[in-house]
Amino acid sequence: RRPAGRAMIAPVSRRDVRRFHVCIHDATPASARETTRMLQDLAPLVGRCLSFGVVPDWHGKWPLAAYPAYCELVRLGAEELLLHGYFHRRQRGQGPISALTGRSDEMNGLDEEETRRTLEGGQRVFTDVFGVPARGFLAPGWQAGHVHPARMHTFPLEHVLGFFSLESCAGRKVPLATWTWDCGRWAWPGHIGHGIGWLLQSLHRRVPVVALHPRDLERGFWPRSLQLIDELLESAYEPSTLSALLETSDVEDPP
């Protein structure tokens, strides 16, 4: 069932690659009920053609290994699973982003060595619960800290999903137009996130990415996000995985 109504989508030319990506952030057993609802609503629209940003141990209280049923839910529900930090919570220090996001900028609080240990630990959890390591990384709160795509292959990771671009460890880059409604501790910045997505999508050759969060349901933004996906489909966009975007989109190759 597709929701009624239309979202404002900037017009695109025939030269633009009509692909888009859907990513559910903050995948944790703490939000199992919301995860189930989101998958149910998205299935008629995009099937399994989406990704999950999975948190190995949400706030240090929800270790994935203790919830095998939830791990199976996300494994079967999406074609791609991304490493989404480790705790999704900054462990020390603070700054403006910490205040805005409720300390979700985990990577900002780490030095280079701590970043390495965090990624390695996250990959160990992934391998234990899913059988394989994550191929992609998604920084909590969009804050990459010391994470550099060119160094990710050692973890091993193949690509990094950011707000403005998708970058492979080989140096390929896909410009993105990200729509997101969970922009911090308060609900009202979600309207700004919607506007930023529309503005970025109006720029040439940017691939729309619909970034979804469990809090979108409680804050009332969930119908709007489904509406956006429905409008993209009606405008002849096709859902795509991140790996396929890097293989088939117009990308910026390294020099």
Side-chain angles (χ1 to χ4, degrees):
R1 181 180 60 85
R2 295 187 178 182
R6 288 178 174 271
M8 290 184 62
I9 302 290
V12 296
S13 70
R14 289 186 177 182
R15 293 179 298 172
D16 288 313
V17 178
R18 292 186 176 273
R19 297 184 179 91
F20 74 100
H21 180 70
V22 174
C23 179
I24 299 178
H25 294 221
D26 302 352
T28 164
S31 300
R33 180 179 59 84
E34 292 86 349
T35 302
T36 301
R37 163 75 184 280
M38 296 167 88
L39 287 175
Q40 289 173 344
D41 289 349
L42 290 170
L45 300 174
V46 299
R48 294 183 64 250
C49 194
L50 55 92
S51 66
F52 269 114
V54 184
V55 184
D57 189 358
W58 179 262
H59 293 189
K61 300 177 181 179
W62 296 85
L64 288 178
Y67 299 90
Y70 181 82
C71 294
E72 186 71 357
L73 174 69
V74 298
R75 185 185 69 83
L76 295 176
E79 292 193 20
E80 293 177 323
L81 302 180
L82 312 176
L83 178 63
H84 195 26
Y86 195 97
F87 299 115
H88 204 290
R89 189 172 183 83
R90 187 164 178 163
Q91 299 301 295
R92 69 169 188 272
Q94 59 184 347
I97 300 299
S98 302
L100 177 65
T101 65
R103 301 184 64 83
S104 73
D105 57 330
E106 179 180 11
M107 311 312 293
N108 280 347
L110 306 176
D111 60 26
E112 291 195 22
E113 176 59 22
E114 290 167 332
T115 299
R116 181 189 65 79
R117 292 200 300 266
T118 296
L119 295 177
E120 289 179 345
Q123 287 290 46
R124 283 196 296 271
V125 172
F126 253 77
T127 303
D128 288 343
V129 300
F130 296 118
V132 293
R135 297 178 61 188
F137 179 77
L138 172 63
W142 304 106
Q143 300 299 300
H146 291 284
V147 173
H148 303 289
R151 304 176 189 174
M152 293 299 97
H153 64 279
T154 60
F155 289 107
L157 288 162
E158 298 178 10
H159 49 263
V160 176
L161 176 61
F163 190 87
F164 296 105
S165 64
L166 168 66
E167 296 187 53
S168 75
C169 296
R172 304 196 88 193
K173 182 184 291 187
V174 180
L176 304 177
T178 299
W179 305 67
T180 182
W181 295 267
D182 186 351
C183 299
R185 298 169 63 183
W186 305 280
W188 63 265
H191 300 285
I192 299 176
H194 181 86
I196 291 175
W198 179 85
L199 179 62
L200 289 174
Q201 202 272 335
S202 68
L203 302 177
H204 189 53
R205 294 188 183 281
R206 286 186 174 268
V207 176
V209 171
V210 184
L212 307 172
H213 298 78
R215 286 199 294 191
D216 293 339
L217 278 76
E218 64 180 82
R219 290 179 169 178
F221 288 110
W222 185 239
R224 183 173 298 186
S225 59
L226 293 177
Q227 186 177 341
L228 171 62
I229 295 171
D230 188 67
E231 179 67 14
L232 287 168
L233 292 168
E234 291 184 358
S235 299
Y237 282 86
E238 296 183 359
S240 173
T241 63
L242 298 173
S243 299
L245 286 178
L246 285 167
E247 294 171 359
T248 60
S249 297
D250 291 335
V251 299
E252 301 174 10
D253 286 306

